[in-house]
């Protein structure tokens, strides 16, 4: 029996999608890779959302048997709205994954987590056979940290201990991410806080150094992963 509710049916993307022309191009490129029977890891953010729409159109038109494992509640609700069947990591391992990024450097290292979903994003990337990172050309940087801070998900009671550890690692600015539509800090999908953190230098060991602080659940640094980067120009 179906729920008599319009909440999912009327769901819309919550913000304006900037640089939509480049994002749309990589979204179509990713949708063209889907094969019948695929288990897909579905990343977060507006580029992943546009790719999901393009994939849902192919599923409907070609009657493809595809299942999705989303990295966020938001994309999971969009899978329901768009008729993309869901599965979980308890049952399936993704054949491949697509996800966006906030920054990509020349070594294909990333900053992710503007949407606060980096824990599940990293879990899915680590679990997938193949990962595609889909970005418009505004995301390409010479150095990580150019346009975005590094988001760090922190167990709430560990906040001050983690702050101390991050300062020891060279953080020059640490901000508790505020919520929108709720008083106080943002609460992640795992019930934690998020710190947005700037460093003068992000070295190759920084992801591991941050993760080694007790109380850090995950960071948005992805250094040295085996990633396929698809870039589309906004012009
Ligand atoms: C969310 C993410 C997103 O993939 C990243 O922020 C890119 O988002 P968009 O495609 O909207 O530019 O890491 O946690």
């Amino acid at each position: 029996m179906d729920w008599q509710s319009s909440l999912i049916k009327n769901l819309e993307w919550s913000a304006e999608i900037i640089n939509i022309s480049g994002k749309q191009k990589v979204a179509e490129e990713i949708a063209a890779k889907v094969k019948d029977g695929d288990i897909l890891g579905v990343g977060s953010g507006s580029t992943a959302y546009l790719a999901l729409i393009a994939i849902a159109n192919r599923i409907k038109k070609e009657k493809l048997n595809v299942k999705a494992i989303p990295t966020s509640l938001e994309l999971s609700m969009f899978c329901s709205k768009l008729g993309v069947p869901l599965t979980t990591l308890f049952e399936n391992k993704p054949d491949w994954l697509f996800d966006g990024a906030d920054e990509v450097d020349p070594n294909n290292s990333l900053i992710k987590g503007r949407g606060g979903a980096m824990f599940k994003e990293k879990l899915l990337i680590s679990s997938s056979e193949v990962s595609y990172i889909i970005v418009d050309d505004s995301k390409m940087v010479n150095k990580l940290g150019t346009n975005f801070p590094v988001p760090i998900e922190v167990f709430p009671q560990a906040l001050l201990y983690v702050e101390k550890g991050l300062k020891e690692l060279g953080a020059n600015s640490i901000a508790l991410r505020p919520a929108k539509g709720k008083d106080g800090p943002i609460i992640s999908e795992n019930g934690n806080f998020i710190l947005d953190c700037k460093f003068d230098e992000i070295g190759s060991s920084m992801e591991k150094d941050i993760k080694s602080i007790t109380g850090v659940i995950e960071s948005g640094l992805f250094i040295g992963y085996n990633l396929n980067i698809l870039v589309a120009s906004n012009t």
Side-chain angles (χ1 to χ4, degrees), residues 1 27 37 51 57 72 84 91 111 117 128-129 140 155 161 166 175 232:
M1 187 187 291
N57 288 340
S72 63
V84 178
E91 300 146 282
I111 289 183
S128 292
E129 294 294 314
M140 306 309 286
F155 183 73
Y161 179 74
L166 291 171

Side-chain angles (χ1 to χ4, degrees), residues 161-183:
Y161 179 74
V162 170
E163 180 194 27
K164 178 173 160 288
L166 291 171
K167 282 183 178 158
E168 283 164 11
L169 288 179
N172 58 39
S173 152
I174 303 174
L176 183 59
R177 192 182 292 185
K180 291 187 187 134
K182 165 196 171 294
D183 291 345

Side-chain angles (χ1 to χ4, degrees), residues 18-115:
I18 54 165
N19 296 326
I20 193 162
S21 72
K23 289 179 178 180
Q24 197 74 62
K25 284 181 214 158
V26 274
E28 295 296 337
E29 216 180 306
I30 242 3
K33 292 186 184 296
V34 173
K35 294 191 305 301
D36 196 36
D38 277 348
I39 304 290
L40 298 179
V42 176
S44 302
S46 60
T47 320
Y49 163 68
L50 293 172
L52 184 68
I53 293 177
I55 290 168
N57 288 340
R58 277 203 60 204
I59 291 176
K60 208 180 281 170
K61 207 161 133 200
E62 300 170 40
K63 299 199 173 11
L64 298 176
N65 172 24
V66 167
K67 285 186 185 152
I69 307 180
T71 53
S72 63
L73 279 174
E74 185 176 40
L75 266 290
S76 144
M77 289 191 287
F78 277 114
C79 284
S80 297
K81 171 177 172 165
L82 297 165
V84 178
L86 293 167
T87 183
T88 69
L89 282 175
F90 291 130
E91 300 146 282
N92 291 109
K93 178 169 150 62
D95 293 301
W96 59 278
L97 163 140
F98 61 94
D99 200 351
D102 300 311
E103 290 188 354
V104 182
D105 82 359
N107 299 317
N108 290 352
S109 292
L110 315 176
I111 289 183
K112 288 183 50 52
R114 181 198 46 77

Side-chain angles (χ1 to χ4, degrees), residues 142-174:
N142 287 327
K143 201 174 157 207
L144 290 183
T146 302
N147 300 319
F148 281 85
V150 178
I152 299 167
E153 181 166 350
V154 179
F155 183 73
Q157 284 290 310
L159 190 66
L160 303 187
Y161 179 74
V162 170
E163 180 194 27
K164 178 173 160 288
L166 291 171
K167 282 183 178 158
E168 283 164 11
L169 288 179
N172 58 39
S173 152
I174 303 174

